[in-house]
mmCIF file of all heavy atoms in Angstrom:
data_model
loop_
_atom_site.group_PDB
_atom_site.id
_atom_site.type_symbol
_atom_site.label_atom_id
_atom_site.label_comp_id
_atom_site.label_asym_id
_atom_site.label_seq_id
_atom_site.Cartn_x
_atom_site.Cartn_y
_atom_site.Cartn_z
ATOM 1 N N ALA A 12 -25.195 -14.248 7.568
ATOM 2 C CA ALA A 12 -25.589 -14.011 9.038
ATOM 3 C C ALA A 12 -24.930 -12.651 9.473
ATOM 4 O O ALA A 12 -25.494 -12.042 10.292
ATOM 5 C CB ALA A 12 -25.104 -15.088 9.873
ATOM 6 N N ILE A 20 -22.042 -1.192 18.973
ATOM 7 C CA ILE A 20 -20.771 -1.080 19.795
ATOM 8 C C ILE A 20 -20.177 0.192 19.885
ATOM 9 O O ILE A 20 -19.327 0.439 20.754
ATOM 10 C CB ILE A 20 -19.762 -2.084 19.371
ATOM 11 C CG1 ILE A 20 -19.536 -1.931 17.851
ATOM 12 C CG2 ILE A 20 -20.236 -3.516 19.688
ATOM 13 C CD1 ILE A 20 -18.384 -2.814 17.369
ATOM 14 N N VAL A 23 -23.225 4.569 22.853
ATOM 15 C CA VAL A 23 -23.521 4.319 24.339
ATOM 16 C C VAL A 23 -25.031 4.193 24.496
ATOM 17 O O VAL A 23 -25.571 3.620 25.589
ATOM 18 C CB VAL A 23 -22.946 5.287 25.286
ATOM 19 C CG1 VAL A 23 -21.353 5.183 25.238
ATOM 20 C CG2 VAL A 23 -23.282 6.676 24.990
ATOM 21 N N GLU A 24 -25.802 4.751 23.545
ATOM 22 C CA GLU A 24 -27.261 4.681 23.760
ATOM 23 C C GLU A 24 -27.903 3.494 23.005
ATOM 24 O O GLU A 24 -29.051 3.275 23.083
ATOM 25 C CB GLU A 24 -27.876 5.962 23.072
ATOM 26 C CG GLU A 24 -27.516 7.234 23.819
ATOM 27 C CD GLU A 24 -28.053 8.523 23.196
ATOM 28 O OE1 GLU A 24 -28.828 8.347 22.224
ATOM 29 O OE2 GLU A 24 -27.791 9.623 23.596
ATOM 30 N N PHE A 32 -23.505 1.525 7.316
ATOM 31 C CA PHE A 32 -22.416 1.135 6.488
ATOM 32 C C PHE A 32 -22.698 -0.060 5.600
ATOM 33 O O PHE A 32 -22.107 -0.318 4.670
ATOM 34 C CB PHE A 32 -21.301 0.750 7.512
ATOM 35 C CG PHE A 32 -20.872 1.841 8.354
ATOM 36 C CD1 PHE A 32 -21.295 2.108 9.632
ATOM 37 C CD2 PHE A 32 -19.768 2.843 7.870
ATOM 38 C CE1 PHE A 32 -20.876 3.072 10.493
ATOM 39 C CE2 PHE A 32 -19.493 3.893 8.545
ATOM 40 C CZ PHE A 32 -19.993 4.080 9.906
ATOM 41 N N PHE A 39 -26.133 4.774 -1.618
ATOM 42 C CA PHE A 39 -25.866 6.271 -1.950
ATOM 43 C C PHE A 39 -24.883 6.391 -2.803
ATOM 44 O O PHE A 39 -25.005 7.071 -4.018
ATOM 45 C CB PHE A 39 -25.613 6.968 -0.674
ATOM 46 C CG PHE A 39 -25.379 8.486 -0.912
ATOM 47 C CD1 PHE A 39 -26.226 9.362 -1.182
ATOM 48 C CD2 PHE A 39 -23.990 8.785 -0.812
ATOM 49 C CE1 PHE A 39 -26.116 10.648 -1.473
ATOM 50 C CE2 PHE A 39 -23.737 10.300 -1.023
ATOM 51 C CZ PHE A 39 -24.767 11.096 -1.297
ATOM 52 N N LEU A 43 -24.669 7.541 -7.119
ATOM 53 C CA LEU A 43 -23.872 8.644 -7.606
ATOM 54 C C LEU A 43 -23.079 8.149 -8.802
ATOM 55 O O LEU A 43 -23.011 8.856 -9.818
ATOM 56 C CB LEU A 43 -23.041 9.152 -6.503
ATOM 57 C CG LEU A 43 -23.680 9.972 -5.340
ATOM 58 C CD1 LEU A 43 -22.525 10.481 -4.394
ATOM 59 C CD2 LEU A 43 -24.370 11.103 -5.920
ATOM 60 N N ASN A 53 -23.285 7.768 -24.173
ATOM 61 C CA ASN A 53 -23.454 8.116 -25.490
ATOM 62 C C ASN A 53 -23.405 6.898 -26.495
ATOM 63 O O ASN A 53 -22.305 6.695 -27.031
ATOM 64 C CB ASN A 53 -22.515 9.172 -25.892
ATOM 65 C CG ASN A 53 -22.667 9.833 -27.220
ATOM 66 O OD1 ASN A 53 -23.693 9.510 -27.918
ATOM 67 N ND2 ASN A 53 -21.671 10.660 -27.802
ATOM 68 N N LYS A 64 -16.792 -2.140 -20.553
ATOM 69 C CA LYS A 64 -15.896 -2.618 -21.681
ATOM 70 C C LYS A 64 -14.653 -1.762 -21.432
ATOM 71 O O LYS A 64 -13.772 -1.913 -22.316
ATOM 72 C CB LYS A 64 -16.519 -2.405 -22.940
ATOM 73 C CG LYS A 64 -17.708 -3.223 -23.398
ATOM 74 C CD LYS A 64 -18.071 -2.829 -24.722
ATOM 75 C CE LYS A 64 -19.221 -3.740 -25.187
ATOM 76 N NZ LYS A 64 -19.664 -3.362 -26.582
ATOM 77 N N LYS A 66 -11.124 0.076 -19.424
ATOM 78 C CA LYS A 66 -10.054 -0.186 -18.635
ATOM 79 C C LYS A 66 -10.221 -0.150 -17.150
ATOM 80 O O LYS A 66 -9.674 -1.039 -16.347
ATOM 81 C CB LYS A 66 -8.852 0.715 -18.959
ATOM 82 C CG LYS A 66 -8.090 0.326 -20.252
ATOM 83 C CD LYS A 66 -7.263 -0.964 -20.044
ATOM 84 C CE LYS A 66 -6.477 -1.237 -21.432
ATOM 85 N NZ LYS A 66 -5.748 -2.508 -21.252
ATOM 86 N N PHE A 68 -13.025 -0.900 -15.591
ATOM 87 C CA PHE A 68 -13.647 -2.209 -15.185
ATOM 88 C C PHE A 68 -12.711 -3.324 -15.014
ATOM 89 O O PHE A 68 -12.851 -4.147 -14.191
ATOM 90 C CB PHE A 68 -14.807 -2.611 -16.120
ATOM 91 C CG PHE A 68 -15.614 -3.694 -15.697
ATOM 92 C CD1 PHE A 68 -16.302 -3.748 -14.438
ATOM 93 C CD2 PHE A 68 -15.683 -4.910 -16.466
ATOM 94 C CE1 PHE A 68 -17.075 -4.833 -14.051
ATOM 95 C CE2 PHE A 68 -16.477 -6.000 -16.106
ATOM 96 C CZ PHE A 68 -17.126 -6.061 -14.867
ATOM 97 N N GLY A 80 -8.463 -14.332 -1.628
ATOM 98 C CA GLY A 80 -7.319 -15.040 -0.933
ATOM 99 C C GLY A 80 -6.863 -14.179 0.235
ATOM 100 O O GLY A 80 -6.637 -14.687 1.376
ATOM 101 N N PHE A 81 -6.877 -12.849 0.022
ATOM 102 C CA PHE A 81 -6.602 -12.001 1.240
ATOM 103 C C PHE A 81 -7.582 -12.059 2.383
ATOM 104 O O PHE A 81 -7.234 -12.210 3.521
ATOM 105 C CB PHE A 81 -6.477 -10.613 0.775
ATOM 106 C CG PHE A 81 -6.496 -9.458 1.848
ATOM 107 C CD1 PHE A 81 -5.377 -9.313 2.677
ATOM 108 C CD2 PHE A 81 -7.657 -8.744 2.022
ATOM 109 C CE1 PHE A 81 -5.431 -8.309 3.776
ATOM 110 C CE2 PHE A 81 -7.686 -7.825 3.015
ATOM 111 C CZ PHE A 81 -6.605 -7.609 3.888
ATOM 112 N N THR A 100 -16.577 -10.490 25.529
ATOM 113 C CA THR A 100 -17.802 -9.817 25.151
ATOM 114 C C THR A 100 -17.805 -8.521 25.852
ATOM 115 O O THR A 100 -17.831 -8.498 27.012
ATOM 116 C CB THR A 100 -19.043 -10.675 25.430
ATOM 117 O OG1 THR A 100 -18.908 -12.059 24.726
ATOM 118 C CG2 THR A 100 -20.334 -9.969 24.879
ATOM 119 N N LYS A 109 -28.525 -12.455 15.255
ATOM 120 C CA LYS A 109 -30.145 -12.452 14.936
ATOM 121 C C LYS A 109 -30.860 -13.134 16.014
ATOM 122 O O LYS A 109 -32.069 -12.958 16.134
ATOM 123 C CB LYS A 109 -30.255 -13.139 13.558
ATOM 124 C CG LYS A 109 -29.887 -14.535 13.624
ATOM 125 C CD LYS A 109 -30.225 -15.112 12.131
ATOM 126 C CE LYS A 109 -29.981 -16.592 11.980
ATOM 127 N NZ LYS A 109 -30.234 -17.126 10.733
ATOM 128 N N GLY A 111 -30.449 -12.723 19.067
ATOM 129 C CA GLY A 111 -30.399 -11.825 20.366
ATOM 130 C C GLY A 111 -29.297 -12.237 21.354
ATOM 131 O O GLY A 111 -29.375 -11.638 22.391
ATOM 132 N N ARG A 117 -14.091 -11.742 18.674
ATOM 133 C CA ARG A 117 -13.644 -12.842 17.631
ATOM 134 C C ARG A 117 -14.751 -13.285 16.790
ATOM 135 O O ARG A 117 -14.675 -13.467 15.592
ATOM 136 C CB ARG A 117 -12.890 -14.050 18.400
ATOM 137 C CG ARG A 117 -12.234 -15.001 17.447
ATOM 138 C CD ARG A 117 -11.832 -16.231 18.061
ATOM 139 N NE ARG A 117 -10.872 -15.918 19.231
ATOM 140 C CZ ARG A 117 -9.564 -15.843 19.091
ATOM 141 N NH1 ARG A 117 -9.027 -15.941 18.044
ATOM 142 N NH2 ARG A 117 -8.852 -15.561 20.227
ATOM 143 N N TYR A 119 -17.579 -11.664 16.075
ATOM 144 C CA TYR A 119 -17.938 -10.573 15.196
ATOM 145 C C TYR A 119 -16.933 -10.554 13.997
ATOM 146 O O TYR A 119 -17.497 -10.456 12.893
ATOM 147 C CB TYR A 119 -17.947 -9.383 16.013
ATOM 148 C CG TYR A 119 -18.247 -8.172 15.055
ATOM 149 C CD1 TYR A 119 -19.497 -7.803 14.656
ATOM 150 C CD2 TYR A 119 -17.041 -7.305 14.720
ATOM 151 C CE1 TYR A 119 -19.633 -6.678 13.707
ATOM 152 C CE2 TYR A 119 -17.351 -6.337 13.883
ATOM 153 C CZ TYR A 119 -18.519 -5.930 13.273
ATOM 154 O OH TYR A 119 -18.760 -4.867 12.538
ATOM 155 N N ASN A 122 -17.472 -13.349 11.539
ATOM 156 C CA ASN A 122 -18.736 -13.242 10.756
ATOM 157 C C ASN A 122 -18.353 -12.149 9.635
ATOM 158 O O ASN A 122 -18.871 -12.306 8.524
ATOM 159 C CB ASN A 122 -19.787 -12.851 11.694
ATOM 160 C CG ASN A 122 -20.563 -13.926 12.283
ATOM 161 O OD1 ASN A 122 -21.055 -14.872 11.597
ATOM 162 N ND2 ASN A 122 -20.552 -13.943 13.589
ATOM 163 N N THR A 128 -15.499 -12.499 2.509
ATOM 164 C CA THR A 128 -15.050 -13.457 1.616
ATOM 165 C C THR A 128 -16.078 -13.996 0.640
ATOM 166 O O THR A 128 -15.839 -14.287 -0.568
ATOM 167 C CB THR A 128 -14.376 -14.661 2.393
ATOM 168 O OG1 THR A 128 -13.427 -14.184 3.229
ATOM 169 C CG2 THR A 128 -13.763 -15.672 1.438
ATOM 170 N N TYR A 145 -21.064 -8.356 -21.812
ATOM 171 C CA TYR A 145 -20.935 -7.079 -22.690
ATOM 172 C C TYR A 145 -19.987 -7.147 -23.789
ATOM 173 O O TYR A 145 -19.989 -6.496 -24.725
ATOM 174 C CB TYR A 145 -20.659 -6.010 -21.637
ATOM 175 C CG TYR A 145 -22.064 -5.494 -20.922
ATOM 176 C CD1 TYR A 145 -22.351 -5.992 -19.687
ATOM 177 C CD2 TYR A 145 -22.803 -4.499 -21.694
ATOM 178 C CE1 TYR A 145 -23.466 -5.541 -19.102
ATOM 179 C CE2 TYR A 145 -23.936 -4.194 -20.976
ATOM 180 C CZ TYR A 145 -24.265 -4.619 -19.815
ATOM 181 O OH TYR A 145 -25.390 -4.225 -19.212
ATOM 182 N N LEU A 150 -26.163 -9.157 -25.495
ATOM 183 C CA LEU A 150 -27.281 -8.414 -24.938
ATOM 184 C C LEU A 150 -27.906 -7.426 -25.889
ATOM 185 O O LEU A 150 -28.067 -6.248 -25.743
ATOM 186 C CB LEU A 150 -26.687 -7.603 -23.736
ATOM 187 C CG LEU A 150 -26.296 -8.430 -22.615
ATOM 188 C CD1 LEU A 150 -25.573 -7.568 -21.509
ATOM 189 C CD2 LEU A 150 -27.117 -9.479 -22.013
ATOM 190 N N GLY A 160 -30.873 -1.489 -18.850
ATOM 191 C CA GLY A 160 -30.258 -2.709 -18.343
ATOM 192 C C GLY A 160 -28.825 -2.505 -17.835
ATOM 193 O O GLY A 160 -28.550 -3.049 -16.877
ATOM 194 N N TYR A 161 -28.148 -1.720 -18.639
ATOM 195 C CA TYR A 161 -26.751 -1.308 -18.348
ATOM 196 C C TYR A 161 -26.750 -0.410 -17.006
ATOM 197 O O TYR A 161 -25.866 -0.750 -16.085
ATOM 198 C CB TYR A 161 -26.119 -0.465 -19.425
ATOM 199 C CG TYR A 161 -24.869 0.266 -19.158
ATOM 200 C CD1 TYR A 161 -23.739 -0.304 -18.635
ATOM 201 C CD2 TYR A 161 -24.803 1.611 -19.278
ATOM 202 C CE1 TYR A 161 -22.562 0.341 -18.372
ATOM 203 C CE2 TYR A 161 -23.704 2.374 -18.967
ATOM 204 C CZ TYR A 161 -22.517 1.749 -18.581
ATOM 205 O OH TYR A 161 -21.527 2.422 -18.181
ATOM 206 N N THR A 170 -23.535 -1.390 -5.731
ATOM 207 C CA THR A 170 -24.053 -1.334 -4.437
ATOM 208 C C THR A 170 -23.265 -2.355 -3.620
ATOM 209 O O THR A 170 -22.662 -2.051 -2.432
ATOM 210 C CB THR A 170 -25.497 -1.771 -4.403
ATOM 211 O OG1 THR A 170 -26.317 -0.673 -4.938
ATOM 212 C CG2 THR A 170 -25.970 -1.943 -2.955
ATOM 213 N N PHE A 171 -22.943 -3.552 -4.229
ATOM 214 C CA PHE A 171 -22.221 -4.555 -3.499
ATOM 215 C C PHE A 171 -20.661 -4.367 -3.537
ATOM 216 O O PHE A 171 -19.956 -4.755 -2.487
ATOM 217 C CB PHE A 171 -22.596 -5.975 -3.997
ATOM 218 C CG PHE A 171 -23.935 -6.278 -3.702
ATOM 219 C CD1 PHE A 171 -24.940 -6.255 -4.607
ATOM 220 C CD2 PHE A 171 -24.292 -6.820 -2.385
ATOM 221 C CE1 PHE A 171 -26.201 -6.590 -4.327
ATOM 222 C CE2 PHE A 171 -25.544 -7.130 -2.057
ATOM 223 C CZ PHE A 171 -26.646 -7.107 -3.103
ATOM 224 N N MET A 175 -18.891 -3.954 0.141
ATOM 225 C CA MET A 175 -17.641 -4.632 0.540
ATOM 226 C C MET A 175 -16.725 -3.721 1.018
ATOM 227 O O MET A 175 -15.950 -4.005 2.034
ATOM 228 C CB MET A 175 -17.143 -5.494 -0.704
ATOM 229 C CG MET A 175 -15.888 -6.296 -0.437
ATOM 230 S SD MET A 175 -15.364 -7.228 -1.902
ATOM 231 C CE MET A 175 -15.027 -6.002 -2.948
ATOM 232 N N LEU A 183 -11.490 -3.164 9.298
ATOM 233 C CA LEU A 183 -10.017 -2.784 9.726
ATOM 234 C C LEU A 183 -9.950 -1.809 10.896
ATOM 235 O O LEU A 183 -8.968 -1.967 11.679
ATOM 236 C CB LEU A 183 -9.461 -2.225 8.424
ATOM 237 C CG LEU A 183 -9.313 -3.207 7.235
ATOM 238 C CD1 LEU A 183 -8.743 -2.418 6.042
ATOM 239 C CD2 LEU A 183 -8.355 -4.270 7.634
ATOM 240 N N LYS A 200 -15.385 7.816 39.245
ATOM 241 C CA LYS A 200 -14.912 8.014 40.596
ATOM 242 C C LYS A 200 -15.723 8.690 41.601
ATOM 243 O O LYS A 200 -16.457 9.563 41.116
ATOM 244 C CB LYS A 200 -13.546 8.672 40.400
ATOM 245 C CG LYS A 200 -12.562 7.880 39.513
ATOM 246 C CD LYS A 200 -11.211 8.591 39.364
ATOM 247 C CE LYS A 200 -10.303 7.821 38.557
ATOM 248 N NZ LYS A 200 -8.904 8.580 38.496
#
Side-chain angles (χ1 to χ4, degrees):
I20 52 180
V23 294
E24 296 180 4
F32 300 96
F39 175 74
L43 291 183
N53 184 11
K64 292 183 179 180
K66 282 288 184 181
F68 185 61
F81 163 75
T100 300
K109 65 178 181 179
R117 190 187 302 274
Y119 171 79
N122 277 298
T128 305
Y145 280 96
L150 303 175
Y161 164 59
T170 293
F171 289 104
M175 181 176 64
L183 292 176
K200 294 181 180 181

